């Protein structure tokens, strides 16, 4: 009975054309608006890709931010020569440049509020840990880092991003999904050195918070707490922690010639089993086959791992619903869709796409809720 509930699949959406552009850690298909300012263009060979070229605009208030970011990079990596702005938000800027004969990516935090600074330092700590012991998946090589100024320089990996959007507007190729899922499973089976990573998520506190915000019902609260108790009982016998990337989106996976590469390690650590699988399940709304495979993987390790996956799935879906409800409310208030990021043309979903996605997320949450209740009923 539970297997039918767990192998949930959502109605497929009408696919949309994949927008042009590129994802993080890759050169834009065309120069972004930031590269049209003063300064002489630089060119450098890119392993497996086209030469870098462009100009970085250092004029105006945004130019001041870029100068500050570049100065922070030069303090730890003097040979870094910036070439292009790959991505800039109000919180961080991503620069691609050269370091001698190779290319590198510099990630600089602009918003140094405690929460964002902690995430940046967590990612730096992850890359430093990978220097001491490499994980069983491909990750960029650490070049330099400054946790005090939240500045990170890593090698630039050749390849293409698996998906531009957090929730892809069309189904990714099966080969990409299969490769990404295999990579995540290898990572989840890894046991990093003791003390290298902590547990980023307090499950009981997160569930209570979502309940207080009205995102979970009273029955949801009771059901999830029952599953957590059962998982804790099983953990006392066999240990239930699993190392996870923590943000296993297709937009954080590069499909390189040598295999998938995982980037953005801000949330890496120990979770209940299935957190990365729950994230992939959530964003693969147009891939029912992949969702069935993920559900089967989650159940194959036994009842406790199955229940952990369902707890993770409910929390991930609730977080996504909260995020996109806020985005839809903002777009309705502004009466206009959000402008796409200059480095990722069309990557930001329109207001109508957000509403369709939100509807699908609510449907998915109902499916997950029924699976949770079925799991509680088997205890």
């Amino acid at each position: 009975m539970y297997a039918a509930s767990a192998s949930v699949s959502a109605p497929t959406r009408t696919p949309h054309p994949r927008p042009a552009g590129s994802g993080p850690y890759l050169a834009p298909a065309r120069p972004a608006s930031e590269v049209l300012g003063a300064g002489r263009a630089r060119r450098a060979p890119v392993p497996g890709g086209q030469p870098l070229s462009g100009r970085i605009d250092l004029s105006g208030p945004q130019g001041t931010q870029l100068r500050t970011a570049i100065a922070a990079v030069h303090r730890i990596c003097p040979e870094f020569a910036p070439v292009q702005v790959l991505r800039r938000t109000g919180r961080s800027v991503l620069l691609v440049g050269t370091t001698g004969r190779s290319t590198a990516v510099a990630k600089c935090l602009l918003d140094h509020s405690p929460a964002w600074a902690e995430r940046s330092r967590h990612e730096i700590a992850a890359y430093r840990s990978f220097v001491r012991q490499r994980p069983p998946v491909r990750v960029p090589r650490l070049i330099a880092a400054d946790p005090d100024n939240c500045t990170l320089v890593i090698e630039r990996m050749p390849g293409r991003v698996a998906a531009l959007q957090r929730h892809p507007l069309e189904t990714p190729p099966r080969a990409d999904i299969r490769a990404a899922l295999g990579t995540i499973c290898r990572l989840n089976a890894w046991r990093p050195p003791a003390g290298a990573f902590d547990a980023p998520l307090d499950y009981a506190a997160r569930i209570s918070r979502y309940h207080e915000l009205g995102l979970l019902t009273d029955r949801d609260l009771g059901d999830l707490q029952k599953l957590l108790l059962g998982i804790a009982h099983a953990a006392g016998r066999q240990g239930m922690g699993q190392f996870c990337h923590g943000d296993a989106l297709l937009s954080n996976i590069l499909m390189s010639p040598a295999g998938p590469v995982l980037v953005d390690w801000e949330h890496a650590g120990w979770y209940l089993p299935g957190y990365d699988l729950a994230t992939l399940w959530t964003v693969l709304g147009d891939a029912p086959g992949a969702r069935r495979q993920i559900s089967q993987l989650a159940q194959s390790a036994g009842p406790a791992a199955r229940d952990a996956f369902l707890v993770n799935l409910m929390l991930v879906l609730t977080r996504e619903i909260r995020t996109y409800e806020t985005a839809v409310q903002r777009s309705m208030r502004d009466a206009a869709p959000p402008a796409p990021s200059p480095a990722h043309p069309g990557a930001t979903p329109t207001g109508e796409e957000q509403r369709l996605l939100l509807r699908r997320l609510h449907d998915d949450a109902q499916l997950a809720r029924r699976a949770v209740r079925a799991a509680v009923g088997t205890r």
Side-chain angles (χ1 to χ4, degrees):
M1 179 179 69
Y2 176 77
S5 300
S7 300
V8 291
S9 59
T12 58
R13 293 171 290 151
T14 303
H16 298 273
R18 185 181 295 274
S22 58
Y25 301 90
L26 300 176
R30 59 180 178 81
S33 59
E34 290 94 339
V35 306
L36 299 178
R40 187 173 181 178
R42 303 175 186 266
R43 295 184 180 271
V46 180
Q50 59 185 359
L52 293 173
S53 64
R55 300 182 179 185
I56 297 180
D57 185 1
L58 298 179
S59 63
Q62 290 187 338
T64 301
Q65 282 187 333
L66 284 179
R67 284 195 296 270
T68 301
I70 292 171
V73 175
H74 283 164
R75 280 194 290 272
I76 59 173
C77 188
E79 66 274 20
F80 182 82
V83 176
Q84 287 179 334
V85 176
L86 294 187
R87 182 180 66 199
R88 176 165 54 190
T89 67
R91 298 188 179 99
S92 64
V93 61
L94 210 62
L95 300 165
V96 64
T98 61
T99 54
R101 297 181 59 84
S102 62
T103 55
V105 170
K107 188 174 184 179
C108 307
L109 194 67
L110 302 177
D111 179 357
H112 286 264
S113 58
W116 291 103
E118 178 60 28
R119 286 175 56 173
S120 176
R121 295 184 182 112
H122 186 93
E123 182 173 26
I124 290 172
Y127 276 106
R128 285 180 167 175
S129 177
F130 296 156
V131 172
R132 295 187 292 271
Q133 182 169 347
R134 299 289 292 181
V137 297
R138 289 176 58 80
V139 299
R141 177 178 57 88
L142 175 66
I143 296 176
D146 180 2
D148 293 332
N149 288 319
C150 300
T151 304
L152 173 68
V153 183
I154 57 177
E155 71 172 317
R156 180 173 180 266
M157 306 293 285
R160 57 179 174 80
V161 70
L164 294 179
Q165 304 87 5
R166 186 178 185 89
H167 295 264
L169 296 179
E170 68 175 16
T171 305
R174 289 184 180 179
D176 287 2
I177 295 176
R178 185 167 56 251
L181 186 55
T183 298
I184 291 300
C185 287
R186 286 197 304 276
L187 178 70
N188 293 158
W190 184 50
R191 308 293 292 187
F197 293 90
D198 57 9
L201 178 58
D202 184 333
Y203 281 87
R206 181 68 59 86
I207 290 170
S208 296
R209 181 185 175 200
Y210 283 165
H211 176 254
E212 291 170 359
L213 292 172
L215 301 171
L216 295 174
T217 66
D218 291 344
R219 182 168 180 180
D220 292 335
L221 175 66
D223 287 345
L224 292 174
Q225 288 176 337
K226 289 176 183 177
L227 291 185
L228 283 181
L229 286 174
I231 294 167
H233 180 68
R237 300 193 309 270
Q238 60 191 36
M240 290 297 296
Q242 183 182 74
F243 182 75
C244 293
H245 178 276
D247 199 19
L249 306 169
L250 294 177
S251 55
N252 286 334
I253 301 176
L254 304 182
M255 309 308 294
S256 78
V261 180
L262 290 176
V263 298
D264 286 352
W265 292 86
E266 297 175 349
H267 303 281
W270 294 96
Y271 293 80
L272 291 180
Y275 189 86
D276 285 341
L277 292 180
T279 301
L280 280 175
W281 191 97
T282 297
V283 301
L284 289 173
D286 286 337
R291 281 187 160 187
R292 283 194 296 272
Q293 184 180 0
I294 291 171
S295 295
Q296 291 165 2
L297 284 171
Q299 296 180 71
S300 64
R306 171 205 68 187
D307 293 351
F309 169 76
L310 289 175
V311 171
N312 285 320
L313 187 59
M314 281 294 293
L315 292 184
V316 171
L317 284 167
T318 303
R319 179 197 64 201
E320 296 297 294
I321 288 172
R322 183 187 183 197
T323 298
Y324 282 93
E325 280 182 342
T326 302
V328 169
Q329 292 169 0
R330 185 184 302 115
S331 64
M332 293 177 63
R333 183 179 65 247
D334 298 341
S341 167
H344 312 287
T348 303
T350 65
E352 180 60 24
E353 288 168 347
Q354 289 176 343
R355 285 187 284 274
L356 291 174
L357 173 58
L358 186 56
R359 183 186 306 168
R360 193 260 290 171
L361 289 172
H362 276 290
D363 290 342
D364 288 345
Q366 289 301 322
L367 292 171
R369 183 172 284 111
R370 288 196 293 271
V372 166
R373 291 174 181 174
V376 171
T378 62
R379 288 196 164 274

